[in-house]
Amino acid sequence: KPCIKINMQDRAIPLEHNIFNQANVLDNAIKNLKISLLTSNKVEQNEWDSLMEIEDYLNDKPDSTPILSDKCADIIKKSIDLLDDNEIIPLLELINKLSLNSKIKASFVTRKDKIIIKLVEKYSDNKKTEIQTFLLKILCNWCNELEPVRYLLSDIPYENNNNKSLFINYLTNSLLSENEEIVIMALKLLNNISLFKLYINIDDEERDINIISSIVQLLQNKEILKTSVTTILSSFYLNIFENQQSSIPELLNVFDIKSIINNIIKSFDEEIKSIKDVNIKKEKELLRDLCFRIIAMVDYIQ
């Protein structure tokens, strides 16, 4: 769904997917990628030609076939291995654009292609903010549709691991990063995943524990709350909503979640008293109401 609403009486908080579409990057990205791959003899001319199939999709050509060829997908994966940190950004720019194409994503899911999870596996521990930011943008674009989300949260094997484990570890580590820029981007990805919470496997205790634990830690981070309180609260609500996992109520008790939420309610109360702007005041009241809804849901699942 492109948008859902958390309804509270006659008012609602609209929640939409975050997507990232960089304009006018195609020509420069291809130019730089050509230097890194073809000019430097990392790939052959025929491999480069196969890779350039993606131009049809990036330019939205109406006669392009609905899926990338195996050759093109293979050279993308090969290029991920060949390019170092200083060369990878142009390829990430192209993959980011591809991740906005529903046909491409559908074809990747159907044939269980490893391009996206390969990026997650390779760059999960990378220290470069630019690479992490691009990877999170790619994942946000990938996760604005249900089936690609299901694919990332599946048990499909990848080397000695699986999609879900690699993805959830990357997401939670990014949410708890010391780099605020990465945390804010990871919250956008969390938002996209959370919007599909009711449509994916509801019986995944490990996934829910990891995600909910990460969100609870963010609920106690005052600096991040200042910039991303709506995303944090709404994602938390969606992830505990009618949660059937027996360990979740116990986990929330250990965190003393009601006290955490009540402290946030108190801070909203103080803010609301001093706000003159009607629209800003209404927004804060909605978020405070969402906090009450969270406490009610905690009581309900217990």
PDB file of all heavy atoms in Angstrom, residues 115-125 135 139 152 166-167 170:
ATOM      1  N   ILE A 115      21.405  -9.839  -6.184  1.00  0.00           N
ATOM      2  CA  ILE A 115      22.072  -8.538  -6.284  1.00  0.00           C
ATOM      3  C   ILE A 115      21.907  -7.718  -5.012  1.00  0.00           C
ATOM      4  O   ILE A 115      22.885  -7.213  -4.437  1.00  0.00           O
ATOM      5  CB  ILE A 115      21.556  -7.746  -7.502  1.00  0.00           C
ATOM      6  CG1 ILE A 115      22.056  -8.389  -8.798  1.00  0.00           C
ATOM      7  CG2 ILE A 115      22.015  -6.285  -7.443  1.00  0.00           C
ATOM      8  CD1 ILE A 115      21.485  -7.770 -10.065  1.00  0.00           C
ATOM      9  N   ILE A 116      20.673  -7.554  -4.541  1.00  0.00           N
ATOM     10  CA  ILE A 116      20.420  -6.688  -3.387  1.00  0.00           C
ATOM     11  C   ILE A 116      21.035  -7.262  -2.121  1.00  0.00           C
ATOM     12  O   ILE A 116      21.711  -6.552  -1.358  1.00  0.00           O
ATOM     13  CB  ILE A 116      18.903  -6.462  -3.193  1.00  0.00           C
ATOM     14  CG1 ILE A 116      18.301  -5.814  -4.440  1.00  0.00           C
ATOM     15  CG2 ILE A 116      18.649  -5.595  -1.964  1.00  0.00           C
ATOM     16  CD1 ILE A 116      18.869  -4.463  -4.807  1.00  0.00           C
ATOM     17  N   ILE A 117      20.833  -8.543  -1.876  1.00  0.00           N
ATOM     18  CA  ILE A 117      21.370  -9.130  -0.651  1.00  0.00           C
ATOM     19  C   ILE A 117      22.894  -9.209  -0.714  1.00  0.00           C
ATOM     20  O   ILE A 117      23.571  -9.168   0.320  1.00  0.00           O
ATOM     21  CB  ILE A 117      20.728 -10.514  -0.383  1.00  0.00           C
ATOM     22  CG1 ILE A 117      20.812 -10.855   1.111  1.00  0.00           C
ATOM     23  CG2 ILE A 117      21.349 -11.602  -1.230  1.00  0.00           C
ATOM     24  CD1 ILE A 117      20.000  -9.947   1.998  1.00  0.00           C
ATOM     25  N   LYS A 118      23.451  -9.301  -1.903  1.00  0.00           N
ATOM     26  CA  LYS A 118      24.911  -9.275  -2.064  1.00  0.00           C
ATOM     27  C   LYS A 118      25.467  -7.931  -1.611  1.00  0.00           C
ATOM     28  O   LYS A 118      26.512  -7.865  -0.947  1.00  0.00           O
ATOM     29  CB  LYS A 118      25.282  -9.539  -3.526  1.00  0.00           C
ATOM     30  CG  LYS A 118      26.787  -9.635  -3.786  1.00  0.00           C
ATOM     31  CD  LYS A 118      27.062  -9.934  -5.249  1.00  0.00           C
ATOM     32  CE  LYS A 118      28.544 -10.094  -5.518  1.00  0.00           C
ATOM     33  NZ  LYS A 118      29.097 -11.327  -4.923  1.00  0.00           N
ATOM     34  N   LEU A 119      24.763  -6.847  -1.953  1.00  0.00           N
ATOM     35  CA  LEU A 119      25.170  -5.513  -1.492  1.00  0.00           C
ATOM     36  C   LEU A 119      25.125  -5.430   0.034  1.00  0.00           C
ATOM     37  O   LEU A 119      26.043  -4.887   0.667  1.00  0.00           O
ATOM     38  CB  LEU A 119      24.257  -4.441  -2.090  1.00  0.00           C
ATOM     39  CG  LEU A 119      24.456  -4.107  -3.570  1.00  0.00           C
ATOM     40  CD1 LEU A 119      23.357  -3.149  -4.030  1.00  0.00           C
ATOM     41  CD2 LEU A 119      25.828  -3.494  -3.829  1.00  0.00           C
ATOM     42  N   VAL A 120      24.058  -5.961   0.617  1.00  0.00           N
ATOM     43  CA  VAL A 120      23.915  -5.934   2.070  1.00  0.00           C
ATOM     44  C   VAL A 120      25.061  -6.697   2.726  1.00  0.00           C
ATOM     45  O   VAL A 120      25.688  -6.216   3.678  1.00  0.00           O
ATOM     46  CB  VAL A 120      22.562  -6.530   2.500  1.00  0.00           C
ATOM     47  CG1 VAL A 120      22.486  -6.668   4.026  1.00  0.00           C
ATOM     48  CG2 VAL A 120      21.419  -5.655   1.988  1.00  0.00           C
ATOM     49  N   GLU A 121      25.337  -7.880   2.195  1.00  0.00           N
ATOM     50  CA  GLU A 121      26.397  -8.706   2.779  1.00  0.00           C
ATOM     51  C   GLU A 121      27.770  -8.042   2.658  1.00  0.00           C
ATOM     52  O   GLU A 121      28.545  -8.024   3.615  1.00  0.00           O
ATOM     53  CB  GLU A 121      26.394 -10.077   2.087  1.00  0.00           C
ATOM     54  CG  GLU A 121      27.243 -11.130   2.774  1.00  0.00           C
ATOM     55  CD  GLU A 121      28.698 -11.094   2.329  1.00  0.00           C
ATOM     56  OE1 GLU A 121      28.970 -10.608   1.215  1.00  0.00           O
ATOM     57  OE2 GLU A 121      29.566 -11.555   3.108  1.00  0.00           O
ATOM     58  N   LYS A 122      28.052  -7.460   1.499  1.00  0.00           N
ATOM     59  CA  LYS A 122      29.388  -6.894   1.278  1.00  0.00           C
ATOM     60  C   LYS A 122      29.618  -5.615   2.069  1.00  0.00           C
ATOM     61  O   LYS A 122      30.709  -5.392   2.592  1.00  0.00           O
ATOM     62  CB  LYS A 122      29.604  -6.611  -0.212  1.00  0.00           C
ATOM     63  CG  LYS A 122      30.990  -5.999  -0.478  1.00  0.00           C
ATOM     64  CD  LYS A 122      31.310  -5.849  -1.950  1.00  0.00           C
ATOM     65  CE  LYS A 122      32.712  -5.253  -2.118  1.00  0.00           C
ATOM     66  NZ  LYS A 122      33.084  -5.090  -3.542  1.00  0.00           N
ATOM     67  N   TYR A 123      28.583  -4.764   2.177  1.00  0.00           N
ATOM     68  CA  TYR A 123      28.802  -3.432   2.738  1.00  0.00           C
ATOM     69  C   TYR A 123      28.209  -3.236   4.131  1.00  0.00           C
ATOM     70  O   TYR A 123      28.199  -2.116   4.651  1.00  0.00           O
ATOM     71  CB  TYR A 123      28.243  -2.373   1.780  1.00  0.00           C
ATOM     72  CG  TYR A 123      29.022  -2.303   0.499  1.00  0.00           C
ATOM     73  CD1 TYR A 123      28.481  -2.771  -0.694  1.00  0.00           C
ATOM     74  CD2 TYR A 123      30.322  -1.812   0.482  1.00  0.00           C
ATOM     75  CE1 TYR A 123      29.215  -2.738  -1.878  1.00  0.00           C
ATOM     76  CE2 TYR A 123      31.068  -1.764  -0.687  1.00  0.00           C
ATOM     77  CZ  TYR A 123      30.502  -2.238  -1.860  1.00  0.00           C
ATOM     78  OH  TYR A 123      31.235  -2.205  -3.025  1.00  0.00           O
ATOM     79  N   SER A 124      27.755  -4.303   4.759  1.00  0.00           N
ATOM     80  CA  SER A 124      27.124  -4.159   6.071  1.00  0.00           C
ATOM     81  C   SER A 124      28.058  -3.547   7.114  1.00  0.00           C
ATOM     82  O   SER A 124      27.605  -2.817   7.999  1.00  0.00           O
ATOM     83  CB  SER A 124      26.599  -5.506   6.564  1.00  0.00           C
ATOM     84  OG  SER A 124      27.649  -6.445   6.644  1.00  0.00           O
ATOM     85  N   ASP A 125      29.349  -3.826   7.004  1.00  0.00           N
ATOM     86  CA  ASP A 125      30.307  -3.306   7.989  1.00  0.00           C
ATOM     87  C   ASP A 125      31.172  -2.177   7.430  1.00  0.00           C
ATOM     88  O   ASP A 125      32.131  -1.758   8.070  1.00  0.00           O
ATOM     89  CB  ASP A 125      31.221  -4.433   8.483  1.00  0.00           C
ATOM     90  CG  ASP A 125      30.452  -5.509   9.231  1.00  0.00           C
ATOM     91  OD1 ASP A 125      29.510  -5.157   9.968  1.00  0.00           O
ATOM     92  OD2 ASP A 125      30.783  -6.701   9.072  1.00  0.00           O
ATOM     93  N   LEU A 135      23.332   2.595   0.168  1.00  0.00           N
ATOM     94  CA  LEU A 135      22.758   1.264   0.373  1.00  0.00           C
ATOM     95  C   LEU A 135      21.384   1.368   1.040  1.00  0.00           C
ATOM     96  O   LEU A 135      20.433   0.668   0.650  1.00  0.00           O
ATOM     97  CB  LEU A 135      23.705   0.417   1.219  1.00  0.00           C
ATOM     98  CG  LEU A 135      23.246  -1.008   1.538  1.00  0.00           C
ATOM     99  CD1 LEU A 135      22.839  -1.763   0.278  1.00  0.00           C
ATOM    100  CD2 LEU A 135      24.343  -1.768   2.281  1.00  0.00           C
ATOM    101  N   LEU A 139      17.724   0.186  -0.450  1.00  0.00           N
ATOM    102  CA  LEU A 139      16.818  -0.683   0.288  1.00  0.00           C
ATOM    103  C   LEU A 139      15.461  -0.016   0.514  1.00  0.00           C
ATOM    104  O   LEU A 139      14.424  -0.690   0.488  1.00  0.00           O
ATOM    105  CB  LEU A 139      17.456  -1.084   1.619  1.00  0.00           C
ATOM    106  CG  LEU A 139      18.661  -2.030   1.489  1.00  0.00           C
ATOM    107  CD1 LEU A 139      19.397  -2.160   2.812  1.00  0.00           C
ATOM    108  CD2 LEU A 139      18.226  -3.409   0.990  1.00  0.00           C
ATOM    109  N   LEU A 152      13.209 -10.051   1.062  1.00  0.00           N
ATOM    110  CA  LEU A 152      14.313  -9.733   1.974  1.00  0.00           C
ATOM    111  C   LEU A 152      14.128 -10.381   3.340  1.00  0.00           C
ATOM    112  O   LEU A 152      15.103 -10.669   4.029  1.00  0.00           O
ATOM    113  CB  LEU A 152      14.440  -8.221   2.148  1.00  0.00           C
ATOM    114  CG  LEU A 152      15.198  -7.459   1.065  1.00  0.00           C
ATOM    115  CD1 LEU A 152      15.269  -5.983   1.408  1.00  0.00           C
ATOM    116  CD2 LEU A 152      16.602  -8.013   0.863  1.00  0.00           C
ATOM    117  N   LEU A 166      20.699 -11.586   7.291  1.00  0.00           N
ATOM    118  CA  LEU A 166      21.599 -10.523   6.811  1.00  0.00           C
ATOM    119  C   LEU A 166      20.911  -9.167   6.829  1.00  0.00           C
ATOM    120  O   LEU A 166      21.495  -8.165   7.268  1.00  0.00           O
ATOM    121  CB  LEU A 166      22.079 -10.850   5.394  1.00  0.00           C
ATOM    122  CG  LEU A 166      23.111 -11.973   5.273  1.00  0.00           C
ATOM    123  CD1 LEU A 166      23.251 -12.404   3.815  1.00  0.00           C
ATOM    124  CD2 LEU A 166      24.462 -11.534   5.832  1.00  0.00           C
ATOM    125  N   PHE A 167      19.669  -9.151   6.371  1.00  0.00           N
ATOM    126  CA  PHE A 167      18.956  -7.876   6.278  1.00  0.00           C
ATOM    127  C   PHE A 167      18.619  -7.315   7.658  1.00  0.00           C
ATOM    128  O   PHE A 167      18.853  -6.123   7.931  1.00  0.00           O
ATOM    129  CB  PHE A 167      17.680  -8.049   5.455  1.00  0.00           C
ATOM    130  CG  PHE A 167      16.833  -6.806   5.413  1.00  0.00           C
ATOM    131  CD1 PHE A 167      17.253  -5.693   4.704  1.00  0.00           C
ATOM    132  CD2 PHE A 167      15.638  -6.744   6.109  1.00  0.00           C
ATOM    133  CE1 PHE A 167      16.493  -4.539   4.678  1.00  0.00           C
ATOM    134  CE2 PHE A 167      14.868  -5.599   6.089  1.00  0.00           C
ATOM    135  CZ  PHE A 167      15.296  -4.487   5.377  1.00  0.00           C
ATOM    136  N   TYR A 170      21.643  -5.997   9.430  1.00  0.00           N
ATOM    137  CA  TYR A 170      22.074  -4.715   8.857  1.00  0.00           C
ATOM    138  C   TYR A 170      21.146  -3.587   9.300  1.00  0.00           C
ATOM    139  O   TYR A 170      21.606  -2.506   9.699  1.00  0.00           O
ATOM    140  CB  TYR A 170      22.111  -4.792   7.330  1.00  0.00           C
ATOM    141  CG  TYR A 170      22.470  -3.472   6.701  1.00  0.00           C
ATOM    142  CD1 TYR A 170      23.737  -2.927   6.886  1.00  0.00           C
ATOM    143  CD2 TYR A 170      21.542  -2.755   5.959  1.00  0.00           C
ATOM    144  CE1 TYR A 170      24.065  -1.702   6.338  1.00  0.00           C
ATOM    145  CE2 TYR A 170      21.871  -1.536   5.400  1.00  0.00           C
ATOM    146  CZ  TYR A 170      23.133  -1.012   5.594  1.00  0.00           C
ATOM    147  OH  TYR A 170      23.447   0.215   5.060  1.00  0.00           O
TER     148      TYR A 170
END
